[in-house]
């Protein structure tokens, strides 16, 4: 079967070289909208994020699960009608585990992730400046080590470009509605049994 998204030629091959001014402005506009929505969703507030880590406030989980449901339904519907291409990233178990642990440790220490940290800075939460400095330093260290990581960590458990339906050997037409239904039920239960 032909990949429905492969007919979208404009975005099928990423352009090499520096991004044009239009693309940069588009990225800035998208980032501002994303930060605005994070702030309005309440997930840029220190108390909300700490409450999530302490399992006392489930606002972050509800926002993230809602975003997954809406994003999955929207992107895969557009892909089905050949309006977008999917740019699937490889599943690298070793790198994902190590990166997830580092991300979680940083999140637990600072109570902000990179996205919520930027939104918090925009709303005037100056305490996040230390975290943003760490983000820049960590990015620099990662860039310096990237060649070594590609030859080692990124090869540990490399499963290639797979999607969840492919990983579980289920057809998309069955997996996607089922996954959305499960997340929807989880959201409903969270809403019933949690305070926030």
């Amino acid at each position: 079967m032909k990949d429905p998204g492969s007919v979208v030629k404009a975005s099928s091959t990423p352009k090499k070289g520096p991004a044009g001014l239009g693309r940069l402005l588009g990225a800035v506009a998208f980032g501002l909208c994303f930060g605005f929505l994070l702030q309005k969703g309440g997930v840029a507030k220190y108390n909300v994020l700490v409450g999530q880590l302490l399992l006392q406030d489930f606002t972050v989980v509800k926002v993230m699960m809602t975003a997954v449901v809406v994003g999955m339904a929207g992107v895969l519907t557009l892909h089905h009608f050949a309006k977008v291409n999917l740019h699937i990233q490889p599943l690298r178990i070793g790198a994902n585990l190590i990166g997830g642990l580092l991300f979680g440790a940083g999140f637990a220490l600072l109570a902000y992730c990179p996205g919520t940290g930027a939104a918090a800075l925009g709303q005037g939460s100056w305490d996040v400046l230390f975290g943003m400095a760490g983000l820049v330093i960590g990015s620099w260290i990662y860039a310096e080590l990237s060649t070594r990581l590609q030859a080692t960590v990124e090869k540990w458990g490399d499963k290639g470009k797979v999607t969840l339906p492919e990983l579980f050997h289920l057809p998309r037409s069955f997996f996607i509605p089922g996954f959305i239904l499960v997340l929807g039920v989880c959201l409903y239960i969270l809403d019933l049994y949690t305070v926030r």
Side-chain angles (χ1 to χ4, degrees):
M1 179 181 161
K2 186 178 180 182
D3 180 6
S6 66
V7 298
V8 184
K9 302 296 182 191
S11 63
S12 60
T13 52
K15 294 178 181 176
K16 302 284 183 186
L21 181 61
R23 293 182 72 188
L24 287 175
L25 290 175
V28 169
F30 181 80
L32 287 172
C33 290
F34 185 65
F36 176 80
L37 292 173
L38 282 178
Q39 201 279 334
K40 284 297 172 191
V43 294
K45 296 176 182 170
Y46 177 84
N47 293 342
V48 172
L49 293 162
V50 168
Q52 180 60 70
L53 294 172
L54 296 174
L55 303 179
Q56 295 172 346
D57 184 332
F58 287 85
T59 303
V60 177
V61 169
K62 292 175 187 175
V63 168
M64 294 302 292
M65 288 175 72
T66 304
V68 169
V69 169
V70 173
M72 175 186 267
V75 169
L76 293 176
T77 300
L78 290 171
H79 181 255
H80 177 77
F81 291 106
K83 299 299 181 189
V84 296
N85 292 331
L86 298 180
H87 300 282
I88 301 164
Q89 298 301 311
L91 172 62
R92 295 172 175 145
I93 294 173
N96 291 151
L97 282 176
I98 294 170
L101 288 172
L102 285 172
F103 180 90
F107 192 5
L109 287 171
L110 185 65
Y112 293 108
C113 72
T116 56
L121 188 61
Q123 73 183 5
S125 301
W126 300 112
D127 57 316
V128 79
L129 276 175
F130 294 102
M132 299 306 284
L135 188 150
V136 172
I137 294 169
S139 299
W140 177 75
I141 293 172
Y142 176 78
E144 289 295 317
L145 295 176
S146 63
T147 304
R148 291 182 189 172
L149 294 175
Q150 287 172 1
T152 55
V153 175
E154 291 189 12
K155 291 186 176 179
W156 300 345
D158 188 352
K159 301 293 183 187
K161 295 182 177 183
V162 293
T163 61
L164 283 175
E166 292 166 351
L167 194 64
F168 291 106
H169 304 286
L170 292 171
R172 276 188 190 176
S173 57
F174 174 79
F175 183 87
I176 293 166
F179 194 73
I180 290 173
L181 179 65
V182 168
L183 288 185
V185 169
C186 290
L187 274 169
Y188 180 72
I189 292 171
L190 278 175
D191 204 42
L192 277 182
Y193 294 104
T194 58
V195 177
R196 300 183 70 182

